[in-house]
Amino acid sequence: MNITVVGAGTIGEAISVALKNRGGYDVTATRRNVSKIETLAGLGIRVSSKSEEAILDADVVILSLKPYDVLAFVKRNARVLAERTTISMAAALPPISAMARYTGDGRLMRAMTNIAARVGGGFTVFCAPPGMQEREKRECRKILECFGEVMEVEEKYMDALTAISGSGPAYILTVMEAMMYAGLKVGLPRDLALKASYETILGSAKLVSESGNHPSVLKDLVVTPGGVTIDAIYELEDSGIRTAFMRAIESATIKSRKISEEIASRDP
Ligand SMILES: NC(=O)c1ccc[n+]([C@@H]2O[C@H](COP(=O)([O-])OP(=O)(O)OC[C@H]3O[C@@H](n4cnc5c(N)ncnc54)[C@H](OP(=O)(O)O)[C@@H]3O)[C@@H](O)[C@H]2O)c1
């Protein structure tokens, strides 16, 4: 199957590599400044600056352009995209029903992954248009599985999921960096502080995923009465860590909705 990834920037490049290495697909990656993705050719990925031509050979087109550019690209290439399955990876798009007037019913799927797709550790959510055939939906799911875990969701959840899992690596990497700096403050060597931080985040996520237990149940196993951990938890609660996360994710959700409304209002 030929897949053309239009807009091979941060996410587009990551997913092109995952599609080639993990799915064995025939992949073409495009962007205007093609010199920035020349290294992809060494991985067996075709690179091109001519997106309009590259989508002609594609069975499936993946759009990883900025949200504002997606609608413009879809409008310019409506006829070609109406004959192909298209997966948009952009945040904050107008609803699928609004895009359908260009792509045709059942052709454009929305998905949201994250940067961990690069190593097959992404979490990708998708919503399929009502008219999409089951066979096409299964093919799209298989494509998205190259990036890691996949879940179908209702479109009304896309903005919130963009804020939690699409942007999420930035929050967790901030936490990881903060833990590493704390390690430096108490005298650990840099490499050891970083390894202790990321292994702990990795292991904690695995514990939740494999045990199926709520994080608070697992957390209580670590927080012993009068022990070391409760002193740290006291400091974290005092600095408002939970409300900080809730505010951050709520704010990102609102921003995603706002951009989506702006794009929709610019579209005549
Ligand atoms: N970054 C993330 O972690 C993340 C996570 C989840 C979802 N997303 C979504 O993924 C999308 C892309 O984000 P990104 O962070 O990867 O942005 P990005 O790095 O700016 O990538 C977008 C790419 O599109 C290319 N482009 C622009 N116009 C084009 C055109 N007409 N034809 C072909 N290529 C074109 C640009 O390269 P040229 O200027 O060289 O053409 C650029 O490299 C966004 O919609 C975002 O919401 C991103």
Side-chain angles (χ1 to χ4, degrees):
M1 181 187 285
N2 288 326
I3 303 179
T4 295
V5 178
V6 178
T10 307
I11 278 288
E13 193 173 344
I15 65 180
S16 298
V17 173
L19 289 169
K20 185 74 197 171
N21 289 347
R22 297 172 56 85
Y25 290 106
D26 210 339
V27 183
T28 303
T30 78
R31 65 180 287 171
R32 290 163 305 179
N33 186 353
V34 82
S35 67
K36 296 221 169 155
I37 49 169
E38 270 166 2
T39 51
L40 293 182
L43 304 174
I45 296 169
R46 274 187 302 272
V47 298
S48 169
S49 60
K50 297 188 170 56
S51 304
E52 272 80 4
E53 281 176 24
I55 61 174
L56 294 174
D57 295 331
D59 300 301
V60 173
V61 175
I62 299 188
L63 301 175
S64 56
L65 297 160
K66 290 287 187 201
Y68 290 106
D69 296 330
V70 167
L71 188 58
F73 188 86
V74 164
K75 280 167 82 171
R76 273 202 314 277
N77 296 282
R79 194 185 48 78
V80 178
L81 295 179
E83 291 164 2
R84 285 158 182 79
T85 304
T86 303
I87 306 176
S88 168
M89 308 301 297
L93 279 191
I96 289 175
S97 55
M99 312 277 286
R101 68 185 136 133
Y102 304 110
T103 54
D105 252 358
R107 299 320 311 253
L108 183 127
M109 168 182 277
R110 283 182 69 186
M112 169 56 51
T113 190
N114 65 31
I115 192 66
R118 185 186 286 269
V119 290
F123 177 58
T124 308
V125 291
F126 73 88
C127 42
M132 185 170 261
Q133 292 171 8
E134 273 309 309
R135 185 187 51 80
E136 277 184 297
K137 200 158 113 176
R138 273 198 306 277
E139 269 173 9
C140 288
R141 180 183 262 277
K142 200 167 153 232
I143 289 171
L144 298 174
E145 279 170 356
C146 295
F147 314 150
E149 286 291 320
V150 177
M151 255 183 94
E152 183 172 7
V153 298
E154 290 180 54
E155 192 173 20
K156 65 181 180 188
Y157 296 135
M158 286 304 266
D159 292 309
L161 286 162
T162 298
I164 293 195
S165 53
S167 304
Y171 321 147
I172 300 305
L173 292 168
T174 303
V175 170
M176 192 184 293
E177 187 191 43
M179 285 175 69
M180 189 206 85
Y181 268 79
L184 299 186
K185 190 160 194 311
V186 294
L188 286 181
R190 186 179 298 272
D191 289 355
L192 182 55
L194 179 59
K195 189 166 174 63
S197 305
Y198 72 68
E199 292 290 0
T200 303
I201 289 173
L202 208 58
S204 306
K206 205 168 168 194
L207 199 56
V208 173
S209 145
E210 290 189 8
S211 70
N213 283 326
H214 191 280
S216 63
V217 172
L218 298 166
K219 191 182 82 176
D220 267 3
L221 300 175
V222 189
V223 187
T224 50
V228 170
T229 315
I230 189 63
D231 279 32
I233 294 288
Y234 180 84
E235 291 295 338
L236 286 173
E237 295 291 359
D238 191 47
S239 50
I241 186 163
R242 285 174 205 253
T243 35
F245 270 96
M246 286 192 244
R247 278 200 193 120
I249 290 169
E250 185 179 36
S251 166
T253 305
I254 292 168
K255 179 73 175 280
S256 178
R257 276 191 203 125
K258 205 172 138 211
I259 297 176
S260 164
E261 282 161 15
E262 247 176 71
I263 297 173
S265 72
R266 281 188 200 176
D267 188 31

